[in-house]
Amino acid sequence: MRSPELDSFASIVLQLPMPNLHSPEVAYYILQILASAFLAILFLQSGIDKIVDRRGNRAYLEQHFAKSPLAGTVGPMFMVITILEVSAGALSGVGCALILFTHDTTVAYLGAVIGGMNLIALFFGQRVAKDYVGAAVLVPYFLLALSAIFLLAEH
């Protein structure tokens, strides 16, 4: 035997408007979350690796740029790239959480912008070092950063 209270509650719940999970608005929201999560993983992993294995990464870069006009600037470049990566990753990660809980995209947007700036710096370095394959590998990441900037901007 069913209770009248349960029937009453069920009728109220069934009358509530349910969001259409297969709508452009929900898809847009999911894209914002996924783009910021991807950028957070990308930049935090890379930035933290540069901190944890500072010597190995720095030695690789010194060898990579040894015959380029940037040879004497590896130290400052390494520091700037590390700061940009950690900043972009942290902002994207915090921004992803904020999108989930508050629907505010501001912090994730800043993470995507800084991530895009970092990718431009990396692309510049790869091109100057004449590592064209390495530069080409960065293109999909840059396109994601550009897409994220657009997705996370206030419209």
Side-chain angles (χ1 to χ4, degrees):
M1 183 163 174
R2 294 175 59 159
S3 72
E5 294 85 15
L6 184 60
D7 285 342
S8 175
F9 176 75
S11 68
I12 291 171
V13 168
L14 290 174
Q15 293 174 8
L16 291 173
M18 296 298 290
N20 180 359
L21 297 178
H22 195 208
S23 68
E25 294 80 18
V26 173
Y28 199 78
Y29 175 66
I30 291 169
L31 285 170
Q32 290 175 326
I33 292 166
L34 294 176
S36 59
F38 190 97
L39 291 175
I41 293 165
L42 172 69
F43 290 117
L44 281 175
Q45 183 280 323
S46 186
I48 290 169
D49 181 61
K50 283 179 179 58
I51 293 168
V52 172
D53 185 20
R54 186 176 184 280
R55 282 188 184 171
N57 280 284
R58 175 111 185 235
Y60 168 78
L61 292 173
E62 286 172 351
Q63 180 185 6
H64 188 69
F65 290 106
K67 296 178 182 177
S68 82
L70 299 174
T73 64
V74 170
M77 282 190 322
F78 184 72
M79 183 176 64
V80 168
I81 291 299
T82 303
I83 291 168
L84 286 173
E85 286 181 345
V86 171
S87 299
L91 288 168
S92 294
V94 170
C96 183
L98 288 172
I99 293 168
L100 278 168
F101 297 116
T102 69
H103 292 254
D104 183 0
T105 61
T106 306
V107 175
Y109 175 82
L110 294 172
V113 169
I114 292 172
M117 293 168 40
N118 180 66
L119 289 163
I120 288 290
L122 291 170
F123 184 78
F124 172 78
Q126 297 290 55
R127 295 293 298 190
V128 170
K130 296 185 181 182
D131 180 2
Y132 302 116
V133 172
V137 168
L138 296 172
V139 172
Y141 296 120
F142 185 64
L143 293 174
L144 172 65
L146 293 179
S147 299
I149 291 167
F150 180 78
L151 286 168
L152 298 166
E154 290 185 13
H155 296 282

